[in-house]
Amino acid sequence: MTIRLMVGLGNPGAEYEATRHNAGFWWVERVARQWGVNLRLEGKFHGYAGRASGQPECWLLLPQTFMNRSGQSVAALVRFYKIEPAEILVIHDELDLPPGGVKLKRGGGHGGHNGLRDIIAHLGTPDFWRLRLGIGHPGERAEVVNFVLKAPTLNEQIEIDRSIDQSLQRLDELRAGKMEAAMLALHTKPR
């Protein structure tokens, strides 16, 4: 099954642009530049959306509902274009991976990530693909909110950018739904 929707998670507004929580936005913005897709604010989808040319048809989406309500945006586009959960790739920041870490998986829980929690609630299933971009963990659970809403350090940013570069090398495989090949490449450590 091919991927027909790539959703980057983040928060709208200049004050959040450079924060760790917006790693998913950074990834989709890079894809939009690479593919020459113009992301336009679409009120009915509550976000910036654009369609990549070529086959299979693939939408890029940046929800503008704030992280905790990402599902509202995703569900609106998914229902309009009749996209199945298995045809969705959600790109998000991941506390459980160090900066520079990147993992691909299908299904599973939300792991405390409010964007994923809301998407699962709106779709009624966790059975969509996730590309998890590591941002590291502050060490204290009480510090998580403060941590994700701050900019990464320079070294962390370099590592996050490297993980984005690494995963974008698998973009054709991801779009074509060749997830096993993409996973093998992303999860195998270079020697």
Side-chain angles (χ1 to χ4, degrees):
M1 200 170 266
T2 60
I3 294 297
R4 294 179 54 211
L5 172 61
M6 294 181 180
V7 183
L9 296 189
N11 285 307
E15 68 269 34
Y16 297 109
E17 216 170 283
T19 65
R20 293 177 179 98
H21 225 13
N22 278 34
F25 272 16
W26 304 339
W27 195 92
V28 168
E29 288 165 350
R30 289 269 304 273
V31 172
R33 282 196 299 275
Q34 193 170 316
W35 283 352
V37 173
N38 182 24
L39 296 173
R40 289 188 322 273
L41 189 57
E42 299 279 355
K44 66 183 171 194
F45 302 139
H46 313 283
Y48 284 93
R51 185 173 61 206
S53 59
Q55 293 298 324
E57 173 181 270
C58 187
W59 282 89
L60 300 179
L61 178 65
L62 299 176
Q64 297 296 292
T65 51
F66 287 95
M67 185 66 80
N68 297 358
R69 295 179 54 221
S70 299
Q72 179 185 5
S73 175
V74 173
L77 193 143
V78 161
R79 291 196 180 105
F80 190 84
Y81 289 108
K82 296 177 176 46
I83 296 172
E84 296 296 321
E87 298 173 313
I88 302 169
L89 176 64
V90 175
I91 303 91
H92 65 90
D93 57 303
E94 177 59 66
L95 288 161
D96 293 335
L97 291 174
V102 60
K103 296 279 184 198
L104 178 66
K105 77 173 198 171
R106 181 171 167 184
H110 53 71
H113 194 291
N114 289 329
L116 291 177
R117 177 183 286 136
D118 198 56
I119 293 170
I120 292 167
H122 273 83
L123 296 181
T125 179
D127 198 28
F128 52 86
W129 288 94
R130 302 102 184 272
L131 184 67
R132 303 158 60 212
L133 301 173
I135 60 166
H137 197 286
E140 292 289 325
R141 198 168 160 195
E143 288 299 312
V144 165
V145 171
N146 199 22
F147 180 77
V148 298
L149 295 178
K150 282 208 165 75
T153 65
L154 179 60
N155 285 341
E156 288 171 344
Q157 187 70 62
I158 289 167
E159 289 302 313
I160 294 166
D161 288 342
R162 191 180 58 72
S163 71
I164 292 172
D165 291 341
Q166 179 190 359
S167 56
L168 287 177
Q169 291 173 10
R170 309 267 67 94
L171 189 54
D172 290 342
E173 291 164 345
L174 292 170
R175 183 175 181 176
K178 296 179 179 171
M179 299 312 205
E180 297 298 323
M183 251 188 254
L184 186 64
L186 290 172
H187 299 184
T188 306
K189 294 274 181 250
R191 294 180 187 270

